[in-house]
Amino acid sequence: MITFLDLLIIVSMVLIAASFLSLVLMFLIRNKKVQRVCFYIAVALSLYIGYVGIRINWPGFYGQVVLAAVLVLVSIGALVLERVKKNDGKMFLYARIAASAALVIGTVNALLV
Amino acid sequence: MTDRKKPKRRFAYEILGLIGISALFAGILFLILSWTAATIAESYCFYNDVVMTEFDWLEVDRWIFSLSGILCAGCFSLLFLSLLSDRMAYIRTLTQGIDTLRLGQAGNILPLEGRNELTQLADAINYMSATQQQLREKEQTLAREKEQFLRALSHDIRTPLTSILAYSEFLAEGNSLSPAEQKQHLQTIRRKAEQIRDLTALLLDGNKRNPEHFDDAHLLMEQLAAELEEELEEAFTVHTDLSGCPSFSGAFDVQELHRIFDNLSSNVQKYADPQQPVDLSIWTTPAGLCIRQTNHISAEAGQKDSSKLGINSIRRIAQNYGGKVDVLQNTEQFSICITLSDF
């Protein structure tokens, strides 16, 4: 029988695997379409991880809550940057870096600290 | 084609590299997953006061490793296939390039990515495409030149033909002509017929030139000027000036010079005002031989369409002598100056 511990581990592992894969593909693949899809997945995951970070650290761990909120804002900012500067390769790179940072730090903040 | 004798990196090694990268990332992911999952499990047990035996921990560890392994295997496959598909996209680009080439749409330049066999292939396709483009352009230029040549020659054949028709009609009607005049007109008809024969031969030979050397080309110019005068004397007053043309030597294709003077004569007959004199000057300069013909334009000339075939024909002949043709024209006067340099 699957316990809450098992579920927690499964969900966290799937989340981490999906995040890792989207990050790697976002930077290694040259196809712009795939890059954008991976970027949107990374942003969605970072938003979800940010929400989890706020949800599980509230109340009590306010520093981590603030950090999670900031990371959510960073993800939204990356998304806005990508949508506004659609054909600007440099801006898209910055947006990808921001989304990746938000996802990695958010995962560490929500699951490991 | 760029110098790419040997690829710097083989495509097979690139595939191995992709496998290596995928395996590396899968390994890192395995470590992250197993460590993260173990940490989460410990934290969960610690904060929820769950007491687990050593056997339970072993069970959890086995669970974690199995799950991490499955996820990593999936990630490895996905990553490798994605990277491979990314490289395969270049093969698709090459295939499209070959298809474009097969359809005869030259000028499609493929991007040169990487340094492997595929890059060499792309380079070869680009080379073929460029060659095909050059061939097509050459073919088009040749076809255009051939068409221009045929048009000019057809025009030049018509000019003596018109003279023959005119003189033969004149002979047929002119009962009052003296035997000497009749003989002169017959000689002109014969000369024009020979000219047509030579032009037809030129048509068959494909614009083959036949320059002859003249020790005293001044005499040749005199003869050509006299023939022009003779042709125009019925309707025009021709002033010829050869004072600036002393004796000189050179190689000329007589047929080409005849064509020049015939075209001049034809243009005068079509467009010049018979009330005004026609001037013809021939002189030599350090730049070469200059032939200038000027006339006043008749009032009816504006109603006649000109395809400029005659002038274009003269221009082509002048180019054979490394020369040029300058045309000055206003509503009243027409002037053409032909310069022949290399003879």
Side-chain angles (χ1 to χ4, degrees):
Chain A
M1 178 167 171
I2 295 174
T3 63
F4 282 117
L5 176 60
D6 300 332
L7 267 177
L8 181 64
I9 288 173
I10 289 168
V11 169
S12 64
M13 285 171 91
V14 169
L15 265 178
I16 289 169
S19 307
F20 189 83
L21 203 61
S22 64
L23 291 185
V24 170
L25 288 178
M26 192 160 69
F27 286 100
L28 287 185
I29 297 284
R30 281 179 289 189
N31 188 327
K32 295 285 172 198
K33 208 181 236 178
V34 177
Q35 277 185 359
R36 282 189 197 281
V37 170
C38 291
F39 171 76
Y40 293 136
I41 292 171
V43 168
L45 286 171
S46 66
L47 288 173
Y48 177 68
I49 289 282
Y51 163 74
V52 170
I54 294 169
R55 185 82 175 77
I56 64 174
N57 288 310
W58 184 273
F61 301 95
Y62 295 111
Q64 289 175 22
V65 170
V66 170
L67 181 62
V70 168
L71 292 173
V72 166
L73 289 177
V74 169
S75 304
I76 293 168
L79 189 63
V80 170
L81 190 66
E82 191 271 338
R83 295 307 300 173
V84 172
K85 305 272 182 182
K86 262 186 176 176
N87 297 319
D88 192 336
K90 205 171 183 182
M91 287 299 158
F92 183 47
L93 177 68
Y94 293 150
R96 280 185 291 166
I97 291 170
S100 309
L103 185 55
V104 173
I105 298 169
T107 307
V108 173
N109 182 48
L111 303 175
L112 298 178
V113 182
Chain B
M1 192 173 176
T2 52
D3 187 24
R4 287 170 188 269
K5 300 272 183 200
K6 277 185 180 177
K8 297 272 168 45
R9 207 165 51 192
R10 289 190 178 279
F11 187 61
Y13 294 156
E14 279 193 25
I15 300 293
L16 275 178
L18 296 184
I19 293 172
I21 289 171
S22 306
L24 179 71
F25 281 111
I28 293 169
L29 181 64
F30 180 81
L31 291 176
I32 292 171
L33 282 180
S34 50
W35 180 74
T36 312
T39 310
I40 289 169
E42 279 174 21
S43 303
Y44 182 85
C45 294
F46 178 75
Y47 287 112
N48 292 286
D49 295 327
V50 178
V51 179
M52 289 185 33
T53 62
E54 201 168 323
F55 178 75
D56 292 335
W57 278 117
L58 276 174
E59 194 70 18
V60 168
D61 282 344
R62 206 167 57 210
W63 233 96
I64 288 170
F65 280 120
S66 307
L67 201 58
S68 299
I70 291 166
L71 279 171
C72 287
C75 280
F76 169 79
S77 310
L78 204 61
L79 193 58
F80 175 67
L81 288 175
S82 302
L83 290 172
L84 190 65
S85 165
D86 202 38
R87 298 294 182 275
M88 289 296 144
Y90 191 48
I91 295 178
R92 282 196 291 276
T93 308
L94 297 187
T95 313
Q96 282 168 2
I98 293 167
D99 285 344
T100 311
L101 204 62
R102 198 166 50 195
L103 290 170
Q105 298 165 348
N108 181 32
I109 303 296
L110 297 172
L112 298 178
E113 290 177 9
R115 295 175 299 167
N116 53 34
E117 290 93 338
L118 295 181
T119 319
Q120 272 194 320
L121 182 61
D123 201 21
I125 294 168
N126 283 346
Y127 177 73
M128 281 168 67
S129 179
T131 311
Q132 199 180 43
Q133 173 90 359
Q134 280 174 355
L135 273 174
R136 186 162 299 165
E137 282 173 4
K138 208 172 176 179
E139 268 177 26
Q140 284 172 349
T141 310
L142 279 173
R144 208 165 36 241
E145 277 179 7
K146 192 178 171 185
E147 194 191 327
Q148 280 175 356
F149 168 70
L150 287 175
R151 281 163 68 95
L153 211 57
S154 306
H155 174 269
D156 291 358
I157 287 172
R158 276 183 62 182
T159 309
L161 193 61
T162 312
S163 296
I164 289 173
L165 285 170
Y167 277 109
S168 54
E169 276 173 27
F170 193 51
L171 280 172
E173 291 168 5
N175 296 327
S176 59
L177 290 172
S178 65
E181 282 175 325
Q182 284 181 3
K183 194 179 175 187
Q184 191 188 352
H185 290 340
L186 281 170
Q187 277 176 345
T188 309
I189 289 172
R190 185 186 165 82
R191 201 173 60 240
K192 294 292 169 188
E194 281 173 354
Q195 211 174 324
I196 291 175
R197 186 196 62 198
D198 293 345
L199 285 170
T200 318
L202 197 66
L203 194 66
L204 295 171
D205 286 350
N207 204 15
K208 194 178 170 186
R209 296 183 68 218
N210 187 21
E212 293 170 51
H213 184 79
F214 291 87
D215 290 329
D216 189 359
H218 170 80
L219 292 175
L220 178 65
M221 294 302 140
E222 251 183 9
Q223 190 192 331
L224 290 166
E227 282 176 15
L228 182 84
E229 265 186 72
E230 191 186 314
E231 269 181 48
L232 299 174
E233 68 185 0
E234 296 287 335
F236 298 90
T237 311
V238 183
H239 293 162
T240 309
D241 178 14
L242 274 82
S243 58
C245 180
S247 290
F248 69 101
S249 63
F252 294 98
D253 186 331
V254 181
Q255 186 61 246
E256 287 179 340
L257 293 181
H258 267 301
R259 284 170 66 192
I260 289 178
F261 279 83
D262 275 353
N263 277 310
L264 292 179
S265 162
S266 171
N267 277 349
V268 167
Q269 283 168 351
K270 278 186 202 163
Y271 307 112
D273 182 359
Q275 307 301 320
Q276 303 288 336
V278 175
D279 294 315
L280 177 71
S281 308
I282 303 175
W283 72 98
T284 52
T285 65
L289 177 71
C290 298
I291 304 163
R292 189 173 62 204
Q293 180 259 307
T294 52
N295 62 265
H296 282 76
I297 299 170
S298 69
E300 298 84 41
Q303 295 160 7
K304 295 176 187 169
D305 286 335
S306 171
S307 55
K308 308 276 184 201
L309 274 172
I311 291 174
N312 285 339
S313 178
I314 294 173
R315 195 166 272 134
R316 284 170 66 88
I317 294 167
Q319 279 170 1
N320 288 343
Y321 290 91
K324 58 175 184 166
V325 173
D326 297 309
V327 177
L328 290 170
Q329 188 176 354
N330 54 35
T331 50
E332 289 180 357
Q333 207 163 23
F334 170 85
S335 171
I336 180 168
C337 185
I338 305 150
T339 309
L340 308 179
S341 301
D342 304 329
F343 50 83

